[in-house]
Amino acid sequence: MKRKLLGMTPEELQNVVLDLGLPKFTAGQIAQWMYVRKVRSIDDMTNISKAGRELLKERYELGLVPYCEVVESVDGTKKYLFPVSTVRSGGLKNPDGTPVMEDSSVEAVMIPDGDRATVCVSSQSGCRMGCRFCMTGRQGFHGNLTVADILSQFVAIDEAGILTNAVFMGMGEPLDNFDNVMRVIEVLTADWGFGWSPKRVTLSTIGVIPQLKRYLEGTRCHLAVSLHNPFPEERLEMMPVQKAWNIEDVVSLLRQYDFTGQRRVSFEYTMFAGFNDSKRHADALVRMLRGLECRVNLIRFHRIPDFPYACSPAPVMEAFRDRLNRQGLTTTIRASRGEDILAACGMLAGRHGQKKL
């Protein structure tokens, strides 16, 4: 099986070219083609000799995964479907000892907003966190995406050349695929890669505490925490991971870090009518987050099959927002984008979800 170049660092690329007997500077050329010019194949690397490209292709592939489908919302949001092949869970092996692979798909969303173009990327096929209100979580876990799989969502979409921001808020829990996600962030923010400021990248998590600590210490990118309910027993009803990683412990960890500078932390709060939208919940949220430099984003819940709750009415959401703001907790209602193409928060599911709708 050929190795993938997409996702390699300059040091790794140097080992590749030296092993093939190519000039050392070829490594920098490959990185430039992949991360700056965002080429679609090794053949497009035209300042590398034809003989050099042929040597590369004998043992390596670029690793880019083209999208197989795209749909566009009335609001300009676009959803891309990517085919992926992941290692089947359970550790099954083929007779030759290689892991059994499972064909699947993931979705990425491009959100235009004035002079900004944000891509919301997936890090896993499915998810093992099991949040009841999320289509991805309800389909189960199908495998981690490779570095090349994730980077393809940046490079292969039609807007690759105009992207301004990235959010790891698509399918999967990013911190459950920690090493691959961190390598992608390295590519995005390194001078030899995309060259983006860390301020252009936000990672969303339910609060996987061991990896969260490593993320906070290993990057200056923004953080968004899925909170959804300030009462542990009620949060557990919606989010089984509350048993493993209590939200109060997550907030306690965050208090150890500085968010008064360029790096921000926000809390995502999906609103469910009659479940988490009362004054009691608002006041408990203020008590939980008081003194922490942060923002709360209220999110409209988008109905999914076989789930009993509906979104809180707009006046209730506005009253909830205003109550938090009056008590000093900066709060906004996030605009919903792409709901008509099942691209809004909690609606991504790839082909697995499409079969269930």
Side-chain angles (χ1 to χ4, degrees):
M1 183 181 294
K2 294 182 179 180
R3 292 183 61 196
K4 298 177 180 180
L5 295 173
L6 193 61
M8 286 190 179
T9 66
E11 292 76 18
E12 291 167 336
L13 291 171
Q14 282 183 14
N15 291 335
V16 167
V17 300
L18 293 177
D19 187 48
L20 293 174
L22 298 173
K24 187 176 181 180
F25 63 77
T26 308
Q29 293 175 317
I30 296 173
Q32 178 83 4
W33 283 114
M34 291 194 300
Y35 305 134
V36 179
R37 301 193 182 185
K38 301 178 177 63
V39 295
R40 304 300 175 95
S41 74
I42 292 174
D43 286 325
D44 292 334
M45 302 178 182
T46 52
N47 63 350
I48 300 174
S49 69
K50 189 175 189 302
R53 282 178 271 154
E54 292 302 318
L55 276 174
L56 273 173
K57 290 192 295 182
E58 286 178 9
R59 290 166 56 182
Y60 296 89
E61 61 181 348
L62 183 59
L64 183 73
V65 181
Y67 67 84
C68 58
E69 183 179 304
V70 59
V71 290
E72 185 168 355
S73 165
V74 294
D75 64 23
T77 298
K78 293 172 71 174
K79 183 172 71 170
Y80 291 88
L81 185 73
F82 287 87
V84 294
S85 185
T86 56
V87 176
R88 183 175 294 178
S89 58
L92 298 177
K93 299 284 187 179
N94 293 308
D96 62 359
T98 59
V100 174
M101 305 299 288
E102 177 180 352
D103 290 333
S104 185
S105 61
V106 298
E107 294 171 325
V109 179
M110 192 287 301
I111 308 164
D113 184 14
D115 59 355
R116 292 164 60 98
T118 300
V119 62
C120 174
V121 298
S122 295
S123 55
Q124 296 179 313
S125 176
C127 183
R128 53 178 134 227
M129 300 300 118
C131 298
R132 292 179 57 209
F133 53 88
C134 176
M135 283 295 295
T136 306
R138 290 173 59 171
Q139 71 173 246
F141 178 68
H142 302 284
N144 284 325
L145 301 191
T146 66
V147 174
D149 289 334
I150 302 173
L151 282 172
S152 292
Q153 298 169 61
F154 292 87
V155 177
I157 65 174
D158 299 340
E159 297 77 17
I162 63 169
L163 292 176
T164 60
N165 298 82
V167 291
F168 288 82
M169 294 183 180
M171 298 171 64
E173 162 56 60
L175 296 185
D176 193 36
N177 188 12
F178 183 81
D179 291 338
N180 288 345
V181 167
M182 288 298 285
R183 171 56 67 89
V184 171
I185 290 175
E186 181 182 7
V187 172
L188 293 178
T189 58
D191 290 340
W192 50 261
F194 282 39
W196 284 12
S197 164
K199 295 187 296 182
R200 297 169 65 177
V201 180
T202 301
L203 179 142
S204 177
T205 178
I206 53 86
V208 184
I209 289 178
Q211 284 75 26
L212 176 56
K213 183 177 176 64
R214 294 170 63 192
Y215 172 79
L216 291 169
E217 295 179 353
T219 173
R220 299 299 300 171
C221 298
H222 300 314
L223 178 70
V225 177
S226 296
L227 198 158
H228 308 305
N229 203 304
F231 297 107
E233 66 282 0
E234 293 181 15
R235 187 173 189 256
L236 181 60
E237 289 184 39
M238 292 288 192
M239 306 172 68
V241 295
Q242 169 67 20
K243 184 175 293 186
W245 298 296
N246 190 302
I247 188 60
E248 292 176 340
D249 293 337
V250 174
V251 174
S252 178
L253 172 64
L254 294 177
R255 290 187 184 279
Q256 301 174 31
Y257 295 86
D258 180 20
F259 295 102
T260 59
Q262 293 187 335
R263 179 166 64 179
R264 299 191 307 268
V265 60
S266 61
F267 292 88
E268 311 299 293
Y269 197 94
T270 301
M271 300 288 287
F272 304 102
F275 181 75
N276 67 347
D277 58 359
S278 70
K279 294 178 180 178
R280 178 176 68 95
H281 290 90
D283 294 343
L285 198 55
V286 170
R287 289 194 298 271
M288 174 177 284
L289 302 180
R290 181 174 283 125
L292 178 62
E293 187 69 27
C294 65
R295 173 184 295 271
V296 174
N297 292 319
L298 304 182
I299 301 170
R300 295 176 176 86
F301 171 63
H302 305 98
R303 291 298 295 265
I304 59 177
D306 304 318
F307 187 73
Y309 291 99
C311 181
S312 303
V316 174
M317 291 188 68
E318 292 164 3
F320 196 92
R321 174 200 61 196
D322 295 344
R323 189 174 183 88
L324 296 181
N325 279 323
R326 282 197 302 270
Q327 297 185 71
L329 190 55
T330 303
T331 305
T332 58
I333 297 175
R334 181 189 290 170
S336 183
R337 301 291 300 272
E339 184 175 4
D340 58 315
I341 58 169
L342 304 181
C345 291
M347 303 185 82
L348 299 185
R351 292 294 187 194
H352 292 280
Q354 292 176 19
K355 294 175 182 177
K356 295 179 181 180
L357 292 176

